[in-house]
Amino acid sequence: MSYDLVIIGGGPGGYNCAIRAGQLGLKTAIIESRGKLGGTCLNVGCIPSKALLHASEYFEAATKTFPSMGVKVSGVELDLPQMLKQKDDAVDGLTKGVEFLMKKNKVDYVKGFGRIAGKGRVEVTGPDGAKQTLETKNIVIATGSEPTPLPGIDIDEDRIVSSTGALSLKQVPKKLIVVGAGVIGLELGSVWRRVGAEVTVVEFLDKITPTVDSEISTAFQKILKKQGVKFELGHKVVGVEKLRDRLEVTIEPAKGGQARTLEADVVLVAIGRRPFTRDLGLEAVGIKTDQRGFIPHDGHFKAADGVYVIGDVTTGPMLAHKAEEEGIAVAQIVAGQWGHVNYDVIPNVIYTYPEVATVGKSEEELKAAGVEYKVGKFNFMANSRARTNHETDGLVKVLEEVATKKVVGVHMVGAGVGEMIGEICVAMEFGASAEDIARTCHAHPTMSEAIREAAKGVDGWVMQS
Ligand code: FAD
Ligand code: NAI
């Protein structure tokens, strides 16, 4: 059997590439070693974390928000096994859904570990150890990423956990120390704080979410602090001692100085993810990874003759929808069509409460690039829907490039902004100016009116504050 396309890795990069390839009539196989399709995202990433974020947000609202809205509830209790079960059910349903989509699009799902054996050949070792070789015109590497370990600290996924362990803790830790104030640390830290943990986040740098526009990340940190999250910025964890009844975590100022010890029941290590290329046989097709272990490509996803690369394992943001975009592009390229990803319009959402949603360039990036820009801002405090919903924390910030009069960045922190960012992505793809957004009628009363007001602010005519 010879394929047009063999995809190694069944995450959002791989499975979306497979679906599109199937739609375009390419004879396609997808190889996945974890026993379930969906990759990190569906199994131990986006989906389970959002299931816990949603449920824990309800739990906290029931006790903290309902009374102020005139809803009396008593006897609110956490049923952690059920909270974890509904998360597992969401994962199960969606991974089976992806398997169905493979069948629907006539993609062969091959269970096992794939290794490139040479140009046009992928050897698969099945769960029973049996080997088979698939012949193919094109190979797509979509093997994703894994948590970056912290040197000297052993992750046991019980008391010292990566994101995977943090999605399945059997009881709520009294004290949780999170290493890394990035997306995972703040999302999963939020989950466990809401259900009762005292959470301290230790971050190497002087700010949280370092890649987010500074004004937004500062506002975000203030809100998280108000919720009770403690921060040790500018600190690193240098050791964790496992005692019978607790963990002793030694932290040190990043710039050097006096070490201190913090106590914890659980430590979550969330200092980033690294590309996964172990035993992939890259040498068989002459592919060399870059210094950080990523597989580079030629700008059109080609890593070697007949080999493409997409998703977390190659350069760019490590996001499911970025992997998906690249998967679609590669399927189309292999089918002889156009395939393109606009990296200027990849949204980024942090699904905490409130959410953070950003797309395009931050003010710091524009300054560093010497781009002249105008800013418009609007606080949710002045948005009527935010006020009626008691959800006034946060702001919207719109950045427009002076020379082109195009919106080049929008940064928001606020309730539900993760859903609102889609409007901006469409506007940016159409080359919108701030005025285009400002002159677009938005429904009243909605949170999205804050975007319109911030866009008006670029040309100095904010009306509602
Ligand atoms: P992956 O999803 O990692 O899939 C790669 C697959 O390849 C894996 O299933 C692996 O088993 C398989 N594989 C590897 N090597 C082989 C081999 N040799 N043979 C066979 N199979 C192999 N992103 C978002 O956009 N939004 C979110 O809300 C979000 N939340 C996240 C929450 C957490 C806790 C984590 C950890 C990540 C989150 N991410 C989120 C990131 C997102 O999961 C990744 O960006 C995305 O999964 C990358 O997709 P991918 O297809 O490149 O790789
Ligand atoms: P991250 O890159 O978002 O954050 C890691 C943080 O750890 C950074 O702030 C960094 O400065 C800090 N750090 C690094 N080394 C440290 C050390 N030794 N001590 C203390 N702090 C240290 O990585 P994270 O949170 O692990 O997430 C990995 C990837 O997964 C991200 O790139 C993200 O794109 C993706 N993801 C996306 C989500 C979303 O879109 N909502 C949710 C979760 C993950």
Side-chain angles (χ1 to χ4, degrees):
M1 162 92 71
S2 181
Y3 288 98
D4 293 315
L5 199 59
V6 166
I7 301 161
I8 311 176
Y15 78 72
N16 282 296
C17 184
I19 293 171
R20 190 71 190 118
Q23 286 179 339
L24 294 170
L26 300 172
K27 180 78 197 134
T28 306
I30 188 164
I31 306 167
E32 172 55 59
S33 59
R34 77 167 69 226
K36 277 181 174 182
L37 290 170
T40 303
C41 175
L42 265 65
N43 290 284
V44 289
C46 327
I47 296 304
S49 59
K50 266 79 257 179
L52 290 182
L53 278 157
H54 189 65
S56 61
E57 194 175 321
Y58 275 11
F59 177 71
E60 185 167 54
T63 48
K64 297 204 175 142
T65 318
F66 283 12
S68 66
M69 302 227 178
V71 181
K72 278 192 184 173
V73 282
S74 56
V76 176
E77 268 180 63
L78 177 69
D79 180 352
L80 185 58
Q82 175 58 23
M83 201 179 266
L84 296 176
K85 184 183 173 295
Q86 61 86 35
K87 171 211 55 159
D88 294 338
D89 289 347
V91 169
D92 255 22
L94 287 167
T95 52
K96 284 188 188 126
V98 175
E99 211 170 316
F100 162 77
L101 289 173
M102 294 303 110
K103 283 200 189 107
K104 183 181 168 197
N105 290 287
K106 300 190 172 49
V107 174
D108 290 343
Y109 169 24
V110 183
K111 290 185 181 166
F113 192 88
R115 189 182 62 85
I116 301 172
K119 186 169 185 287
R121 282 186 306 125
V122 182
E123 184 189 81
V124 186
T125 308
D128 57 358
K131 288 189 194 310
Q132 60 170 316
T133 300
L134 308 182
E135 306 282 335
T136 178
K137 292 189 189 110
N138 299 281
I139 297 169
V140 177
I141 301 173
T143 51
S145 63
E146 60 178 358
T148 304
L150 189 54
I153 291 165
D154 278 340
I155 290 179
D156 57 22
E157 297 297 13
D158 178 29
R159 291 202 288 165
I160 305 179
V161 296
S162 71
S163 52
T164 302
L167 290 166
S168 297
L169 297 180
K170 290 191 183 59
Q171 54 190 23
V172 179
K174 275 202 195 75
K175 290 184 181 183
L176 171 68
I177 290 186
V178 176
V179 192
V183 198
I184 292 180
L186 299 178
E187 286 190 352
L188 295 179
S190 290
V191 166
W192 294 107
R193 183 200 57 73
R194 290 169 187 168
V195 294
E198 187 185 295
V199 176
T200 305
V201 181
V202 182
E203 164 61 47
F204 189 79
L205 300 174
D206 289 327
K207 61 180 279 202
I208 69 166
T209 54
T211 54
V212 172
D213 183 279
S214 281
E215 187 175 7
I216 298 296
S217 77
T218 305
F220 182 39
Q221 192 194 348
K222 266 195 202 147
I223 297 168
L224 293 175
K225 260 184 164 169
K226 213 164 60 177
Q227 294 172 358
V229 181
K230 292 184 186 146
F231 290 96
E232 294 284 357
L233 299 187
H235 277 78
K236 58 183 176 186
V237 169
V238 290
V240 180
E241 197 180 345
K242 274 185 179 177
L243 304 176
R244 198 181 48 80
D245 60 338
R246 64 183 190 282
L247 302 170
E248 283 194 353
V249 181
T250 308
I251 66 166
E252 235 176 59
K255 291 175 186 141
Q258 193 70 39
R260 277 186 293 141
T261 303
L262 307 176
E263 277 185 13
D265 307 293
V266 173
V267 171
L268 162 59
V269 177
I271 59 166
R273 293 179 62 82
R274 62 182 184 186
F276 184 81
T277 56
R278 212 168 301 134
D279 301 326
L280 191 54
L282 294 179
E283 59 294 340
V285 281
I287 294 177
K288 286 202 175 76
T289 55
D290 70 14
Q291 276 176 331
R292 296 170 59 217
F294 291 94
I295 299 177
H297 62 74
D298 66 350
H300 303 282
F301 315 105
K302 197 178 256 190
D305 192 23
V307 185
Y308 296 88
V309 64
I310 58 173
D312 279 12
V313 74
T314 189
T315 48
M318 288 176 144
L319 295 169
H321 41 282
K322 175 262 193 186
E324 173 183 352
E325 285 301 291
E326 292 180 340
I328 294 169
V330 164
Q332 302 210 159
I333 290 169
V334 171
Q337 301 188 359
W338 57 265
H340 174 70
V341 176
N342 180 2
Y343 291 95
D344 289 333
V345 187
I346 306 272
N348 218 313
V349 177
I350 307 176
Y351 297 86
T352 42
Y353 181 85
E355 291 178 341
V356 174
T358 69
V359 61
K361 300 276 186 281
S362 65
E363 272 204 79
E364 292 77 37
E365 285 173 324
L366 292 175
K367 275 186 193 137
V371 174
E372 201 189 336
Y373 62 93
K374 292 204 286 182
V375 188
K377 289 184 218 174
F378 194 77
N379 287 319
F380 281 109
M381 182 57 93
N383 171 273
S384 56
R385 187 62 184 274
R387 289 187 76 115
T388 45
N389 288 2
H390 306 219
E391 298 188 315
T392 50
D393 278 335
L395 74 147
V396 178
K397 173 164 156 178
V398 175
L399 304 171
E400 185 187 76
E401 184 177 3
V402 169
T404 58
K405 230 181 165 314
K406 280 186 181 172
V407 172
V408 287
V410 172
H411 308 280
M412 308 191 267
V413 54
V417 293
E419 293 292 343
M420 284 157 55
I421 198 78
E423 154 182 0
I424 303 296
C425 296
V426 175
M428 285 175 72
E429 284 289 3
F430 279 83
S433 63
E435 187 179 358
D436 289 325
I437 298 172
R439 294 199 185 274
T440 300
C441 185
H442 285 65
H444 175 76
T446 59
M447 300 287 280
S448 67
E449 286 175 284
I451 294 181
R452 186 180 187 192
E453 289 300 311
K456 287 177 187 170
V458 167
D459 293 318
W461 59 292
V462 169
M463 292 170 60
Q464 313 291 344
S465 73

